Amino acid sequence: MLDTILCVDDDPITLMLCKMVINKASFSNEIITAKNGEEALNYFKTSLDKQSKKPQLIFLDLNMPVMGGWEFLDSFSTSEYSEYNTTKVIILSSTIDPDDIEKAKKYPMVLDFLSKPISKEMLEYVKTKL
């Protein structure tokens, strides 16, 4: 079981489903949510100061207002966030564009590109990747 997971998605129903499935599967002790990439980056910036728990895994949507998944990954892979370089990312998207899948491979922290919605079977698969 992971200690902390961050779910980044602009859809409140998707976030609720993520929490439900992760809790039922006993996959993580704590689930933090963010509505977009900017909120997620702010969480990491403030957790640097507060010594909050560092998420071991991020479920990341790509298409979000304010800051999407690609912009989040571009920022998250800079030296500013280097102390989080062990945090892994699973892209969880409703689009399965082959170009997006290829683009995701360019980010070393991205473990996989999976299709929504999250499921217990998906979490079992993710466990094998960690």
Side-chain angles (χ1 to χ4, degrees), residues 71-117:
E71 293 85 3
F72 169 82
L73 286 169
D74 287 342
S75 295
F76 195 63
S77 50
T78 64
S79 60
E80 184 179 354
Y81 299 95
S82 61
E83 77 174 83
Y84 300 105
N85 63 6
T86 58
T87 302
K88 298 300 178 197
V89 176
I90 300 282
I91 295 175
L92 203 54
S93 183
S94 49
T95 60
I96 300 294
D97 181 340
D99 292 340
D100 284 346
I101 294 168
E102 281 306 306
K103 186 175 180 181
K105 291 177 182 172
K106 294 181 177 134
Y107 295 93
M109 75 279 288
V110 174
L111 281 182
D112 213 330
F113 192 111
L114 303 173
S115 181
K116 287 181 186 178

Side-chain angles (χ1 to χ4, degrees), residues 25-106:
S26 299
F27 188 74
S28 177
N29 291 322
E30 185 179 1
I31 304 155
I32 300 153
T33 60
K35 293 185 204 89
N36 57 59
E38 187 177 272
E39 263 189 33
L41 289 176
N42 284 338
Y43 172 80
F44 285 101
K45 285 177 186 170
T46 58
S47 72
L48 285 171
D49 307 332
K50 297 180 188 167
Q51 292 303 308
S52 302
K53 293 177 184 171
K54 296 176 188 175
Q56 292 125 309
L57 182 65
I58 300 170
F59 285 109
L60 180 67
D61 185 26
L62 291 178
N63 301 312
M64 297 175 284
V66 184
M67 179 188 278
W70 295 125
E71 293 85 3
F72 169 82
L73 286 169
D74 287 342
S75 295
F76 195 63
S77 50
T78 64
S79 60
E80 184 179 354
Y81 299 95
S82 61
E83 77 174 83
Y84 300 105
N85 63 6
T86 58
T87 302
K88 298 300 178 197
V89 176
I90 300 282
I91 295 175
L92 203 54
S93 183
S94 49
T95 60
I96 300 294
D97 181 340
D99 292 340
D100 284 346
I101 294 168
E102 281 306 306
K103 186 175 180 181
K105 291 177 182 172
K106 294 181 177 134

Side-chain angles (χ1 to χ4, degrees), residues 4-15:
T4 308
I5 291 178
L6 174 61
C7 296
V8 186
D9 200 301
D10 61 317
D11 179 26
I13 294 166
T14 299
L15 290 175

